[in-house]
Amino acid sequence: QVQLVESGGGSVQTGGSLGLSCAASGYTYNNYCMAWFRQAPGKEREGVAAIDSDGSTTYADSVKGRFTISQDNAKNTLYLQMNSLKPEDTAMYYCAMGPYTGWACQNYYGMPYWGKGTLVTISS
């Protein structure tokens, strides 16, 4: 059974930084896509960043240049480094995982596995 556990959320002021982690277990296939999504109160969930098993990455326009997605395959852990944070980055952040790479991953397609989320709050 695939399990994803996020950590690292918290509260910071505008302009600050936070790093999120997602520990994955139970996924046995070579190809994968791992992504970060977020959902703010009253808003739809949106894809923030994704990385696939080939190392290709994609970012939402709203976070380009501020967020960096990375992975440590040895630790089966996904990361999201968030810099220059803004109040509009406030949301519950979720880690997700799926089997599709390339175009599908870049479009956040087919993510059957999800973590429970970690809350990020940015104060002005």
Side-chain angles (χ1 to χ4, degrees), residues 49-105:
I51 186 168
D52 67 17
S53 47
D54 295 325
S56 297
T57 59
T58 191
Y59 295 91
D61 288 343
S62 58
V63 307
K64 281 181 181 177
R66 300 188 299 121
F67 290 13
T68 302
I69 190 170
S70 63
Q71 59 187 342
D72 185 331
N73 291 330
K75 295 182 179 180
N76 294 326
T77 302
L78 179 72
Y79 302 99
L80 185 68
Q81 179 62 38
M82 306 183 293
N83 300 326
S84 302
L85 284 161
K86 306 175 181 180
E88 51 263 44
D89 294 318
T90 295
M92 185 71 80
Y93 283 72
Y94 299 91
C95 173
M97 189 172 192
Y100 303 112
T101 62
W103 178 91
C105 184

